[in-house]
Amino acid sequence: MTSKADGNLWRASSAVHVEAPPLTADADADLVIIGGGFTGNTAALEAARRGASVIVLEGKSVGHGGSGRNVGLVNAGLWLPPRDVVAQMGQEAGLKLVGLLADAPKLVWSLIERENIDCDATPNGTLHLAHSAAGLRNLEERHRQGVELGASVQLFDARETARRTGSRAFYGSLFDPRAGTIQPLSYARGLASAALRAGACLHEQTAVSRVERIGDRWQVTANGHTVRAGSLLLATNAYFKGINIAVRPQFVAVNYCQFATAPMSEPLRAEILSGGEGCWDTALVMSSFRTDRAGRMIVGGIGDAGGPGAAIHAGWARRKLRQVYPQLADLAFEHAWHGRIAMTGDHIPKILKLGPSAYACFGYSGRGIGPGTVFGTRAAAALLDGREDDLPVAPVAAHTERFVGAWAAYYEAGAVLTHAL
């Protein structure tokens, strides 16, 4: 059974709304933030709670970018295994980042509780699913590394994985009890609302056109007006576009698409992911699976559902659903949407130093919720206190990614080919 899918589920189901009029006059602040997603809103909240004057400029609406198009998995750590992070960054820097991001879900859950954010928070863990025997070996190594570093992760066999997921398609799984799922747009909006309550100013429909350093102040031009601030945070991640600025973040933009079914029946909800865990698999072109509060099954995968390969990605989602959950074969897709991921060549997030008291945070490589919350919080503190040592990664004066257009096309072509087959 098929039906025409209609837009972003998170926009259709969010219970949180933000009132943020466009910028209509010049303004001054201690900190100006460009981008109203996880990183920008968390930074605004932290800075406002510290007593700083804060202005957030969002070109579209809060959570318009990756934060409102996210799968909604609150993961601990990065896509890379911990030892790979250490190998690339060095022992001290690598273990520092691994430790901070291991605790990222704890920070997310605490902010949700403290600010009373209605975002369907489900801290019931995640399941990294082995799609093959080789995938299971990969998970065994990840489990070994996690236990070595003190993480409370558990390795499940195929039988326990089938019991938890309601699917016999997987060879096993790695369970992380620290993690879980949220309604990502509601979380982004909830952070923005909390920042407003703390005294921050937020302006939607305020696209920044120019950023420059004049004297000892940053001057940001948007909507024909000027915001002057002592500190600056660029938090656009994969949605950086059209800003005239001397130092620009570089990354490979990778598309990710999602398809949400109609709500499952109560018997099926009791059978499929009844514990509320969020899932993704070990395939090179990965897939994700989760349910929402209404009992919809949400299937995701690499690919641009708004591009030339849209029909192929949609056809893949239907086949994938039938393969993993044959009991849902006739359940219609009601929502379809896609977003961009900012990928770095080494899969390590970056903090780019734009000038005095100015950073750009980007490159979460598909792990936006936990890292975005950590990086935003710590970037705000560093900008206000001048303590770069507290940042998750050392800021760099320049970061170069080669052949970004070619790599983006490569990822999309690979996804189209894989999904077509």
Side-chain angles (χ1 to χ4, degrees):
M1 178 178 176
T2 61
S3 69
K4 186 176 181 180
D6 181 26
N8 188 332
L9 169 63
W10 307 136
R11 290 192 173 276
S13 64
S14 179
V16 184
H17 301 281
V18 181
E19 294 294 332
L23 181 70
T24 57
D26 294 351
D28 290 271
D30 296 321
L31 172 63
V32 59
I33 298 169
I34 304 172
F38 301 137
T39 304
N41 293 335
T42 307
L45 176 58
E46 177 68 17
R49 284 175 58 87
R50 287 168 171 259
S53 58
V54 185
I55 295 176
V56 181
L57 306 176
E58 164 56 48
K60 298 290 187 179
S61 59
V62 168
H64 169 81
S67 297
R69 303 165 190 267
N70 198 281
V71 176
L73 302 185
V74 184
N75 288 304
L78 292 171
W79 180 76
L80 291 176
R83 290 301 167 197
D84 288 8
V85 176
V86 170
Q88 295 198 57
M89 298 183 67
Q91 184 82 0
E92 183 177 355
L95 288 178
K96 175 184 177 181
L97 180 61
V98 167
L100 286 173
L101 296 186
D103 287 338
K106 186 187 300 183
L107 177 60
V108 173
W109 306 135
S110 68
L111 285 175
I112 291 170
E113 182 177 7
R114 188 188 77 194
E115 304 298 339
N116 194 28
I117 300 174
D118 183 6
C119 62
D120 304 347
T122 309
N124 292 356
T126 54
L127 292 164
H128 194 175
L129 305 168
H131 79 294
S132 65
L136 183 58
R137 291 192 293 272
N138 176 274
L139 294 185
E140 290 170 346
E141 175 59 22
R142 286 177 181 266
H143 176 257
R144 186 188 69 78
Q145 292 186 27
V147 171
E148 187 179 82
L149 292 171
S152 55
V153 291
Q154 297 175 257
L155 192 66
F156 292 150
D157 61 14
R159 183 174 181 178
E160 177 63 12
T161 300
R163 187 187 73 80
R164 287 176 174 257
T165 61
S167 171
R168 298 185 180 276
F170 303 104
Y171 288 65
S173 60
L174 185 63
F175 175 65
D176 191 336
R178 300 167 296 180
T181 65
I182 58 174
Q183 211 279 23
L185 180 58
S186 292
Y187 177 59
R189 288 175 171 176
L191 290 170
S193 297
L196 288 170
R197 290 195 300 271
C201 294
L202 171 62
H203 299 285
E204 294 181 316
Q205 305 304 322
T206 303
V208 171
S209 57
R210 185 178 183 85
V211 176
E212 53 191 332
R213 181 78 175 178
I214 299 180
D216 63 349
R217 307 280 283 175
W218 287 98
Q219 184 166 295
V220 178
T221 304
N223 286 4
H225 300 285
T226 300
V227 175
R228 299 175 187 83
S231 298
L232 166 73
L233 178 63
L234 181 63
T236 52
N237 202 29
Y239 286 76
F240 175 85
K241 183 179 180 181
I243 300 176
N244 186 347
I245 187 171
V247 181
R248 294 168 172 248
Q250 293 189 27
F251 52 84
V252 176
V254 178
N255 287 285
Y256 198 87
C257 54
Q258 296 181 77
F259 302 83
T261 69
M264 295 182 286
S265 66
E266 287 301 325
L268 286 173
R269 292 181 69 173
E271 174 187 344
I272 295 173
L273 290 175
S274 58
E277 303 96 337
C279 309
W280 74 104
D281 67 20
T282 55
L284 181 61
V285 180
M286 61 162 277
S287 307
S288 60
F289 308 91
R290 63 159 295 188
T291 57
D292 73 346
R293 181 162 58 182
R296 300 177 181 90
M297 169 57 66
I298 304 164
V299 181
I302 299 293
D304 182 2
I312 291 174
H313 297 314
W316 162 82
R318 173 52 59 190
R319 294 193 304 277
K320 191 71 175 180
L321 185 66
R322 287 172 177 159
Q323 173 198 350
V324 177
Y325 291 109
Q327 59 271 56
L328 302 182
D330 294 328
L331 199 59
F333 284 125
E334 290 187 342
H335 297 271
W337 69 102
H338 65 281
R340 292 197 297 275
I341 295 168
M343 192 85 73
T344 61
D346 59 5
H347 304 297
I348 303 290
K350 308 300 176 190
I351 298 181
L352 186 61
K353 192 159 188 174
L354 304 175
S357 195
Y359 302 130
C361 300
F362 63 96
Y364 304 131
S365 296
R367 291 290 180 97
I369 297 172
T373 302
V374 170
F375 274 63
T377 300
R378 294 203 164 228
L383 288 169
L384 296 178
D385 297 343
R387 290 177 53 85
E388 288 191 348
D389 291 346
D390 290 337
L391 290 169
V393 298
V396 295
H399 172 72
T400 302
E401 295 282 346
R402 302 182 64 189
F403 312 120
V404 293
W407 276 112
Y410 169 80
Y411 281 117
E412 178 61 21
V416 168
L417 181 60
T418 301
H419 289 172
L421 296 175

